[in-house]
Amino acid sequence: MANYNVVEIFSSINGEGPRSGQLALFIRMQGCNLDCGYCDTKWANEEDCRSHWTSTEEIMDVVRLMHIKNITLTGGEPLMQENIMELLEALAADRELRVEIETNGSIDLRPFSKIENAPAFNMDYKLPGSGMEEYMLPDNFACLTAKDTVKFVVKDYEDLLRARELIGEYDLTNRCHVFLSPVYGEIDPEDIVNFMKSNNMNDVTLQLQIHKVIWDSEMRGV
């Protein structure tokens, strides 16, 4: 039985994505291969972060106990976990669950997209403002379907221009959900709306992290 380095498991509401506002069970894994300047979960990526090794069966026991249909694997970068395929296949086998993977755009999604009843990908594409765009894998766009999401976290006008370029180049609005999300405290959401209006960005959604509206922006476990 595989084990995973888990920082926390908690229930809350989805703060972002297509099921924003719905109840969800979050499974946060430790560690990330990127170091985005605006990351709001750096604490979960540090080697000395308090975590515990948790088996597939232990996670599935919590999922069954909680009776929450929306399951979000997050991090850090959950797809870095050794043997994560075992957990994804176990979750996919329960057809009542709706599983999402929050992934940072640097991990090849092709192996995971082949899982029967594959989880939905909520994939970041790191824009210039993150300092991590060089690690992105644009080939991942080809793995995305109507159930999946691309999230562009926007820090400034340069990021908006780059997001627009990518959305057009890869025809993303005809492939999957597309969200623009402001870096908290760095850009006024009104500026994003004005950019969307002036560029006729149909089928693109402005996303605000509602968990940071409901609770303190630094609070964990929400």
Side-chain angles (χ1 to χ4, degrees):
M1 185 71 67
N3 288 279
Y4 316 94
N5 199 1
V6 175
V7 174
E8 58 182 355
I9 300 178
F10 62 95
S11 61
S12 186
I13 57 166
N14 268 317
E16 51 192 346
R19 296 194 175 94
S20 178
Q22 295 184 17
L23 281 178
L25 180 67
F26 291 85
I27 303 163
R28 186 182 302 283
M29 307 290 189
Q30 192 272 338
C32 188
N33 59 326
L34 300 183
D35 186 23
C36 298
Y38 51 70
C39 180
D40 56 5
T41 55
K42 283 186 182 292
W43 59 272
N45 306 333
E46 297 169 357
E47 291 186 5
D48 61 351
C49 173
R50 179 177 294 181
S51 60
H52 54 280
W53 290 97
T54 308
S55 70
T56 299
E57 188 55 40
E58 288 171 327
I59 291 174
M60 294 306 298
D61 284 344
V62 173
V63 169
R64 288 187 283 264
L65 178 66
M66 296 299 291
H67 300 289
I68 295 176
K69 291 184 178 181
N70 294 324
I71 310 296
T72 300
L73 300 181
T74 188
E77 171 49 65
L79 296 182
M80 285 177 53
Q81 296 287 316
E82 188 175 1
N83 300 317
I84 191 65
M85 188 72 79
E86 179 181 293
L87 177 59
L88 297 180
E89 289 175 342
L91 290 166
D94 187 336
R95 296 301 179 110
E96 292 190 359
L97 299 178
R98 298 187 291 253
V99 183
E100 291 184 347
I101 305 168
E102 293 189 340
T103 181
N104 64 23
S106 70
I107 305 294
D108 186 352
L109 299 184
R110 286 174 295 181
F112 308 105
S113 66
K114 296 175 182 177
I115 298 172
E116 184 178 356
N117 189 35
F121 298 115
N122 188 348
M123 189 191 86
D124 275 21
Y125 183 96
K126 305 300 183 183
L127 297 169
S130 70
M132 294 287 117
E133 187 178 13
E134 64 182 295
Y135 300 104
M136 295 297 95
L137 300 178
D139 287 349
N140 277 337
F141 290 137
C143 298
L144 305 180
T145 65
K147 73 177 187 301
D148 302 314
T149 298
V150 173
K151 179 179 69 175
F152 295 102
V153 178
V154 176
K155 183 178 181 180
D156 52 29
Y157 187 70
E158 181 184 1
D159 280 355
L160 286 169
L161 291 174
R162 180 61 174 146
R164 183 189 64 181
E165 178 184 14
L166 290 161
I167 291 166
E169 179 179 355
Y170 293 95
D171 195 25
L172 293 178
T173 54
N174 287 314
R175 179 178 292 278
C176 60
H177 302 284
V178 179
F179 288 81
L180 296 178
S181 184
V183 176
Y184 189 78
E186 291 285 343
I187 186 171
D188 192 327
E190 183 179 354
D191 292 337
I192 300 178
V193 174
N194 288 335
F195 185 87
M196 293 169 65
K197 288 164 59 178
S198 63
N199 288 276
N200 296 318
M201 298 180 75
N202 292 298
D203 300 317
V204 174
T205 301
L206 171 66
Q207 170 178 273
L208 302 179
Q209 296 174 298
I210 62 173
H211 55 289
K212 292 185 178 180
V213 176
I214 298 172
W215 297 283
D216 185 279
S217 63
E218 300 298 324
M219 187 174 292
R220 302 179 185 179
V222 295

